[in-house]
Amino acid sequence: MNRHHWWRDAVIYQVYVRSFLDSTGDGIGDLAGVRTGLPYLKKLGVDGIWLSPFYPSPQHDHGYDVADYCGVDPVFGDLDEFDRLVGTARRLGIKVLLDIVPNHCSSEHPWFRQALAAAPGSPERARFHFADGRGPDGDEPPNNWHAMFGGPAWTRVTEPDGRPGQWYLHMFTPEQPDWNWRDPEVAAEFDRTLRFWLDRGVDGFRIDVAAGLFKHPELPDSPDPEADARTRDSVNPLAWNQPEVHDVWRHWRAVCEEYTARDGRERLLVGEVSVPSAREHAKYVRPDELHQAFFFDLLGAPWDADAFRKVISEAMQDIAGTGSTVTWVLNNHDQVRTVTRYGEPTPESSGLGPARARAAALLMLALPGAAYIYQGEELGLPEVVDLPDDVLTDPIFRRTGSRARIRDGCRVPLPWSGQASPFGFTSGTEAARPWLPQPDWFAEYATERALADTRSFWHLYRDGLQLRAALDQLGDGPLRWLDTQPGVLAFVRGDDLVCAVNFGTAPVPAPVDGVPLLASGPCPPGVLPGSTAAWWITGT
């Protein structure tokens, strides 16, 4: 196992700050709450944390609309509290990654407000994508693109003299104007931002919409204008994955390596990269670009042995072939929680979600490379699917009026203890209600209860992480597939550690004899029950 490059086989825990732990009693999680929870994460055994945006923001998209990239929103604390968090994490041996949002900012960002006050063709507007409209009065958008969160990707502004004017591009919401990375001032400002946080001791960055930044220079019409809105993914080839983006990541990599050369601490860049294939994905993790990029194909694969084997094999061939390692993920703040997702969509799969989620967790932790865990997955939390319309905050719901694929259900604040809301999430005699309501059944999933139950998801994750750290066969390194019967996936790590997953519903003979190290459910010797995963040492 390569211990020098810590990031190659690291397990990172995603902290959605506003839903992790509230220290002030206002019903919203904060940085002091994250600091309080660090010993819990140390006990779980993760190598680092990724913090969702906590920057000053009007919160139209919960912090992904950034008004100031070098500050802390008062609802989450201040820079002194951030420094305390980093210091505590450092003492515990936990890396800290920040979420940086370079594709777009908030409509309240000072530069965008300057752009609105400036004239067409001005340097202030050149930092964004302003364009004249089509039609005799310019009252039609400059092109036919649709925003990922619904509606057109363009909004018309009122000029300082009161007349209808130009349009600006926003691939998410009108409150999130896209930066124009063809303007050198934008690149220089983000260079300053990187250095600001690196100077404060962060260990790296998770990069939002890392395949974005550049748009086709002519902003032409798309042959499938609703593709982004229909899939809620960055699939418009004119708006995403432009070749110039790779120069940005080469520069950011050089900045990180400059800091590493100073003190020997490796800084990490991990990108949110949504591209059509593993081969395209691999271009982002070439030796002089990003260290890692999330591989979402495993998350999107159906519960099927052949489908899992296909996406894993492609990732190992195309991504690991660059010299990087694959960055596996089963869930994040934008996805339906794993327990619920694996229990859909057929009646036959109903009730199987928890077993499948446990098996998938062991599979992911046994794969070569790095892994990211979204908060609450270690508790086996299901999606909250019945939030009332009047509490929903997702801009997708506001923009479309539809509950389809909204993200509030995976963002409900974590349960820590007790039998009733707020379940230890927020405290104080005058504590406010959590910013999203917690259902009564959260009591079954509280951290306090999970720690006390050795059969819980938490212990499965903790035991898996401990073995992953202790066994040289796991982490970085090769994988060798085993021939198995249909519906069973099995591979060898090192010479003698086997991970096997039964994707079926009936017990089948285990593919190998050996000593069971860890199983996602009851696993008698020689039998691998349906929707179960196990690790064995074969003794060969």
Side-chain angles (χ1 to χ4, degrees):
M1 185 182 299
N2 190 330
R3 294 292 188 182
H4 177 67
H5 301 294
W6 66 267
W7 48 270
R8 291 184 65 87
D9 56 6
V11 177
I12 306 295
Y13 185 95
Q14 182 190 352
V15 176
Y16 195 72
V17 175
R18 68 186 296 116
S19 295
F20 186 71
L21 187 59
D22 169 24
S23 72
T24 63
D26 64 357
I28 299 173
D30 47 51
L31 294 178
V34 176
R35 181 164 57 88
T36 300
L38 287 176
Y40 162 79
L41 297 177
K42 178 67 175 179
K43 187 174 184 178
L44 181 62
V46 299
D47 298 300
I49 56 174
W50 146 31
L51 300 173
S52 63
F54 52 76
Y55 316 108
S57 165
Q59 302 294 320
H60 290 292
D61 190 18
H62 291 319
Y64 285 92
D65 50 323
V66 182
D68 176 4
Y69 287 87
C70 296
V72 176
D73 195 297
V75 75
F76 300 123
D78 54 28
L79 284 171
D80 288 340
E81 181 54 53
F82 174 80
D83 291 340
R84 286 191 287 270
L85 189 162
V86 171
T88 301
R90 182 76 51 78
R91 288 191 294 274
L92 291 172
I94 295 175
K95 310 289 187 182
V96 178
L97 307 183
L98 268 57
D99 205 325
I100 193 166
V101 189
N103 180 73
H104 51 269
C105 65
S106 166
S107 55
E108 297 298 316
H109 191 284
W111 278 14
F112 188 72
R113 298 174 78 171
Q114 291 171 19
L116 293 178
S122 64
E124 290 83 1
R125 290 202 174 180
R127 298 165 177 162
F128 302 91
H129 294 280
F130 278 85
D132 294 331
R134 298 192 290 196
D137 298 315
D139 55 1
E140 296 292 330
N143 66 28
N144 65 354
W145 298 0
H146 281 240
M148 192 178 296
F149 289 174
W154 295 89
T155 291
R156 196 173 195 185
V157 304
T158 300
E159 300 294 352
D161 62 6
R163 291 182 298 177
Q166 289 190 306
W167 299 71
Y168 69 89
L169 179 69
H170 49 84
M171 293 304 298
F172 290 89
T173 72
E175 295 83 12
Q176 295 167 289
D178 281 41
W179 292 108
N180 176 16
W181 273 81
R182 300 184 189 280
D183 186 283
E185 287 194 40
V186 173
E189 182 66 7
F190 274 94
D191 193 85
R192 183 181 76 86
T193 298
L194 290 182
R195 294 178 183 279
F196 176 86
W197 292 111
L198 289 169
D199 288 341
R200 300 194 88 93
V202 304
D203 296 287
F205 302 92
R206 177 267 185 185
I207 304 165
D208 189 60
V209 196
L213 282 61
F214 288 86
K215 279 60 179 173
H216 190 288
E218 297 176 7
L219 299 174
D221 277 346
S222 169
D224 187 0
E226 297 186 7
D228 283 351
R230 184 177 64 251
T231 63
R232 218 196 75 212
D233 202 357
S234 48
V235 296
N236 179 350
L238 302 169
W240 315 106
N241 199 26
Q242 298 294 297
E244 298 93 334
V245 75
H246 295 283
D247 291 332
V248 176
W249 307 139
R250 291 186 183 98
H251 175 69
W252 284 27
R253 178 69 174 259
V255 171
C256 287
E257 291 185 352
E258 173 190 328
Y259 277 79
T260 297
R262 294 180 190 177
D263 58 17
R265 287 196 303 115
E266 285 191 291
R267 273 64 167 194
L268 169 66
L269 297 173
V270 55
E272 181 194 33
V273 174
S274 296
V275 288
S277 67
R279 185 164 297 178
E280 281 293 309
H281 183 112
K283 295 179 181 178
Y284 286 82
V285 292
R286 289 176 288 197
D288 61 343
E289 296 194 38
L290 303 179
H291 301 82
Q292 298 176 335
F294 296 121
F295 185 65
F296 294 118
D297 292 37
L298 188 66
L299 183 158
W303 185 253
D304 177 82
D306 292 338
F308 269 58
R309 179 164 178 164
K310 180 176 184 292
V311 299
I312 293 168
S313 296
E314 289 177 351
M316 294 301 298
Q317 174 181 318
D318 294 326
I319 299 170
T322 66
S324 181
T325 55
V326 186
T327 304
W328 308 103
V329 57
L330 290 172
N331 200 249
N332 60 35
H333 64 293
D334 290 331
Q335 304 294 330
V336 173
R337 284 199 175 273
T338 311
V339 165
T340 302
R341 194 174 73 244
Y342 283 145
E344 299 175 336
T346 65
E348 292 78 10
S349 64
S350 178
L352 293 175
R356 292 175 172 178
R358 291 170 68 96
L362 279 195
L363 170 67
M364 179 179 72
L365 293 177
L367 290 170
Y372 281 68
I373 301 169
Y374 178 51
Q375 67 179 40
E377 291 294 290
E378 82 282 7
L379 303 176
L381 271 182
E383 185 88 352
V384 181
V385 298
D386 56 355
L387 291 167
D389 285 357
D390 61 355
V391 305
L392 296 178
T393 63
D394 193 328
I396 296 173
F397 180 71
R398 297 199 306 268
R399 295 274 290 169
T400 67
S402 170
R403 298 175 66 99
R405 305 182 73 179
I406 59 172
R407 302 164 296 170
D408 288 304
C410 70
R411 300 176 177 185
V412 176
L414 293 182
W416 289 87
S417 61
Q419 297 298 314
S421 184
F423 298 110
F425 165 73
T426 186
S427 59
T429 55
E430 300 297 327
R433 291 181 296 178
W435 69 277
L436 281 175
Q438 300 160 306
D440 292 342
W441 50 262
F442 258 34
E444 302 174 31
Y445 298 91
T447 299
E448 179 182 66
R449 184 166 179 170
L451 289 169
D453 181 1
T454 58
R455 300 166 299 176
S456 69
F457 267 80
W458 192 90
H459 281 273
L460 178 77
Y461 270 93
R462 195 279 306 272
D463 293 348
L465 289 171
Q466 285 187 341
L467 284 171
R468 181 182 168 99
L471 296 174
D472 288 339
Q473 299 96 320
L474 294 171
D476 199 2
L479 169 154
R480 177 169 57 86
W481 293 110
L482 293 176
D483 292 331
T484 61
Q485 60 199 67
V488 175
L489 192 67
F491 54 84
V492 178
R493 301 299 317 282
D495 293 327
D496 60 357
L497 192 146
V498 172
C499 174
V501 184
N502 179 5
F503 285 78
T505 58
V508 298
V512 293
D513 294 324
V515 179
L517 289 175
L518 187 64
S520 63
C523 189
V527 174
L528 189 66
S531 298
T532 297
W535 297 352
W536 279 273
I537 293 289
T538 64
T540 59

